[in-house]
Amino acid sequence: QVRLVESGGGLVQAGASLRLSCAASVRTFSLYRMGWFRQAPGKEREFVAIISLSGCNTYYANSGKGRFSISRDNAKNSVDLQMNSLKPDDTAVYYCAADRDGGSVYPTDFSFWGQGTQVIVSS
């Protein structure tokens, strides 16, 4: 079982930055690839960024390329999402997720989820 707790959300103006953090309670954190997803009101949950087990490989949705950066610290069981140049379209609940066996960017591939942290970007 993996317990994930996100933090760092908030209300910011367009152009600002936020750093989201996710703390994982699991002994074998380095065996899980980690991802950030988001869900805006009335929309489906979507992939934002994924990082491989070692942290060497990262993948981003087109919406966040060049603005978002995912990183992990396996010694601290944590994964962060640095978000720069935020836009109103980035407004959503952001979720941290963990996956042991899958390989896609689809939320259905991820078995463990945090409770989410709200990000609101005002124009």
Side-chain angles (χ1 to χ4, degrees), residues 36-119:
W36 284 96
F37 295 79
R38 68 186 184 186
Q39 187 165 16
K43 295 187 177 181
E44 293 185 353
R45 192 168 298 188
E46 64 178 8
F47 151 69
V48 175
I50 289 171
I51 190 165
S52 63
L53 275 61
S54 66
C56 291
N57 297 306
T58 55
Y59 310 90
Y60 298 93
N62 288 336
S63 58
K65 281 182 181 177
R67 300 188 299 126
F68 294 177
S69 178
I70 187 171
S71 61
R72 68 187 293 164
D73 187 334
N74 285 347
K76 296 182 178 179
N77 283 16
S78 66
V79 58
D80 290 348
L81 182 68
Q82 176 68 40
M83 303 187 295
N84 300 324
S85 303
L86 283 163
K87 306 174 181 179
D89 284 349
D90 295 319
T91 294
V93 176
Y94 283 70
Y95 297 90
C96 174
D99 166 48
R100 182 77 184 261
D101 302 314
S104 80
V105 302
Y106 295 108
T108 50
D109 249 11
F110 285 74
S111 302
F112 303 99
W113 292 84
Q115 82 289 349
T117 184
Q118 177 76 58
V119 172

